[in-house]
Amino acid sequence: MGDPRLNSLHLDPVRRQEFRRAKEALLESRGNETVFVEKKRAEEVEPGTTFIHNLGSTPPPTLQVWLVDREYIYPLKIGLNTLGRSSDNDVVVEDLYVSRRHCAVLVHHNHQCVLQDVASKNGTYLNGKRITCPTPLTSGDEIRICNRQFIFQTREACPQGPPAPPSPTRTIAS
C-alpha cells in the first residue's frame, strides 16, 4: 500500500495523471540514504501533524528543518513532508483554494531540501516565482500556496530560531 498522503482518487483523470507523474518524480528523487532514514524514523515516531505555536519562541534544539508562518512553526522530518488542505498532510493548510495535496518538501538525509508542486490547481510559488519542477530550498526562502506564506528555515542558517513571521498577503483589485 502506498503513502496515503499521496492518493489521487479524488482528482479528475487529467489532473490524476499530472499528479501521478509528479508523485513518481518526487518519490524517485529521495535516494537510498533518505529512504533508509525515513523508514527508520517511521518505526520510531508515530505519524501525524505537529506544530508549535509561534510566539517568538525558538524551535526545539533537536529540530533541524522547519516552516514558519504567522501562527505556527511546522517541524519537517527527513523524507517526504506534504502540504495541503487534507487533514492527513504533514502541514495542513485550511484554505479552500489550496489543493488537498498541494505541494511537498523533500528533506534528504543530509538536510538538503527540495520543494515540489504536486499538480495543484493554483500553483506553488517560491520567492514569488511559480515552480514547475523540483526546486532546491535555502534557509529564508518564502513558499506561497494561494494566500498562505511560509518561510523555510534550517538550524544551520538560523541557530537562534525562526525569524519574524511573514507579513500578511494583500490582494489589490484592478
Side-chain angles (χ1 to χ4, degrees), residues 97 118 126:
Y97 294 104
V118 284
L126 180 62

Side-chain angles (χ1 to χ4, degrees), residues 73-109:
I73 297 168
Y74 302 91
L76 300 177
K77 63 189 181 308
I78 292 177
L80 186 65
N81 297 271
T82 58
L83 288 82
R85 195 178 72 234
S86 181
S87 63
D88 61 352
N89 285 295
D90 298 295
V91 178
V92 177
V93 183
E94 295 179 358
D95 183 324
L96 293 176
Y97 294 104
V98 172
S99 297
R100 291 179 206 180
R101 317 258 182 249
H102 201 97
C103 64
V105 175
L106 178 59
V107 179
H108 290 284
H109 71 285

Side-chain angles (χ1 to χ4, degrees), residues 52 59-66 73-77 154-155:
I52 304 163
T62 56
L63 196 57
Q64 296 300 312
V65 183
W66 64 90
I73 297 168
Y74 302 91
L76 300 177
K77 63 189 181 308
T154 64
R155 175 74 56 197

